[in-house]
């Protein structure tokens, strides 16, 4: 009978060989495997307009609709520049000290608002309103409508727009029309929506253009008024003549659909 020798050196060599074979096997597996790619989780910062309101600001292909983007009463020129915060030239600045104070408070509020400092903006707008500036309630309405520095409250937004609209603020008159159209902060009332859009549109300039575009949209779709493409095009043309982007886009969309120039 033969006895196997358990020499320490021989045992060490056997272990080394086994370890080397194991390492090579693992290396071969890695070479033949694709790297793992971790997929990013869905964005937690997706805006409400993207997540909860299909069709608004959507870029997906599909049939043309009247509302290619969310309707707004903020005037935007064809170059994308907003005209709502334009400060009147010095020649148009008020001479009355009280009006100058109100204007200074409003301008300070707008500066804070545009900088995202809503905690500072709101009291300035409230002071400007108390001093008699007709536009102050518009900004208060926007803050409550969008929940900017305050708890969103469509009812308070509606009341603020109503107050400014009654004082003659053109942009607030348009916002009031939009609130009535959509039933936001009030019951839907298309007669009131058309009334306030028409009131806002009367001046016929870029500030009034969103209301003209809104009327074009209503007549194009037949929402609250008899559907009339000709009347819609007329309103779009008036708004486009001021350089308003949405109206220009609407006319181009209609051109593409009919093959005729408006």
């Amino acid at each position: 009978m033969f006895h196997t020798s358990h020499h320490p050196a021989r045992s060490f060599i056997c272990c080394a060989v086994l370890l080397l074979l194991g390492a090579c096997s693992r290396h071969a597996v890695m070479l033949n495997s694709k790297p793992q790619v971790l997929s990013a989780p869905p964005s937690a910062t997706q805006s409400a307009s993207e997540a909860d309101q299909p069709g608004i600001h959507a870029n997906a292909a599909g049939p043309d609709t009247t509302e290619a983007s969310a309707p707004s009463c903020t005037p935007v020129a064809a170059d994308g520049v907003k005209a709502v915060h334009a400060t009147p030239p010095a020649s148009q600045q008020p001479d009355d000290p009280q009006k100058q104070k109100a204007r200074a408070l409003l301008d300070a509020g707008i500066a804070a608002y545009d900088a995202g400092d809503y905690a500072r903006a709101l009291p300035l707008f409230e002071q400007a309103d108390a001093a008699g500036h007709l536009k102050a309630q518009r900004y208060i309405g926007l803050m409550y409508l969008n929940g900017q520095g305050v708890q969103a409250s469509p009812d308070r937004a509606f009341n603020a727009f109503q107050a400014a609209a009654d004082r003659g603020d053109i942009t607030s008159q348009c916002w009031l029309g939009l609130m009535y159209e959509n039933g936001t902060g009030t019951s839907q009332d298309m007669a009131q929506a058309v009334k306030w859009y028409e009131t806002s549109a009367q001046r016929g300039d870029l500030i009034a253009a969103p209301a003209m575009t809104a009327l074009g949209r209503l007549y194009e779709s037949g929402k609250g008024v008899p559907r009339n493409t000709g009347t819609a095009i007329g309103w779009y043309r008036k708004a486009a003549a001021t350089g308003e982007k949405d109206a220009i886009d609407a006319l181009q969309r209609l051109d593409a659909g009919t093959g005729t120039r408006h």
Side-chain angles (χ1 to χ4, degrees):
M1 179 180 291
F2 295 96
H3 296 281
T4 305
S5 174
H6 297 284
H7 196 280
R10 184 176 297 170
S11 298
F12 174 78
I13 293 171
C14 290
C15 289
V17 170
L18 291 173
L19 289 172
L20 181 61
L21 289 173
C24 290
S25 176
R26 286 193 301 272
H27 183 63
V29 171
M30 292 174 64
L31 288 175
N32 291 322
S33 300
K34 294 182 179 179
Q36 183 180 13
V37 178
L38 298 178
S39 59
S43 172
T45 60
Q46 186 180 26
S47 68
S49 63
E50 294 170 338
D52 302 326
Q53 302 179 35
I56 295 180
H57 298 305
N59 293 320
D64 288 336
T65 61
T66 303
E67 297 180 10
S69 60
S72 172
C73 290
T74 300
V76 179
D79 58 4
V81 176
K82 294 181 180 180
V84 70
H85 297 333
T87 300
S91 61
Q92 297 180 17
Q93 293 293 341
D95 295 328
D96 180 81
Q98 180 66 17
K99 291 183 179 179
Q100 289 178 349
K101 175 184 177 182
R103 180 74 215 190
L105 288 166
L106 184 76
D107 287 345
I110 291 173
Y113 180 87
D114 286 343
D117 189 354
Y118 303 125
R120 182 167 179 267
L122 182 59
L124 287 167
F125 290 141
E126 290 172 339
Q127 292 173 53
D129 177 53
H133 205 294
L134 65 88
K135 295 181 182 178
Q137 282 284 352
R138 179 213 305 174
Y139 292 96
I140 294 172
L142 287 171
M143 294 183 73
Y144 278 105
L145 180 64
N146 299 315
Q148 295 168 316
V150 294
Q151 181 69 34
S153 174
D155 292 348
R156 296 187 70 169
F158 175 84
N159 291 335
F161 289 139
Q162 180 76 71
D166 288 341
R167 292 181 180 181
D169 181 50
I170 291 174
T171 303
S172 292
Q173 291 168 350
C174 179
W175 278 112
L176 197 60
L178 189 59
M179 301 283 275
Y180 273 119
E181 179 187 348
N182 294 326
T184 303
T186 187
S187 299
Q188 186 181 44
D189 188 330
M190 291 307 301
Q192 285 292 316
V194 172
K195 168 195 167 182
W196 283 107
Y197 283 146
E198 289 178 341
T199 302
S200 178
Q202 287 177 0
R203 197 168 76 183
D205 60 5
L206 180 58
I207 303 301
M212 292 187 276
T213 301
L215 287 167
R217 175 170 50 77
L218 294 186
Y219 278 102
E220 184 184 355
S221 64
K223 184 178 181 182
V225 293
R227 185 173 183 178
N228 190 317
T229 303
T231 302
I233 290 171
W235 281 113
Y236 286 146
R237 281 177 175 168
K238 289 180 181 180
T242 72
E244 204 265 338
K245 183 178 184 303
D246 287 345
I248 294 171
D249 290 345
L251 289 175
Q252 291 175 343
R253 171 173 51 76
L254 289 172
D255 286 344
T258 63
T260 59
R261 295 189 61 81
H262 301 293

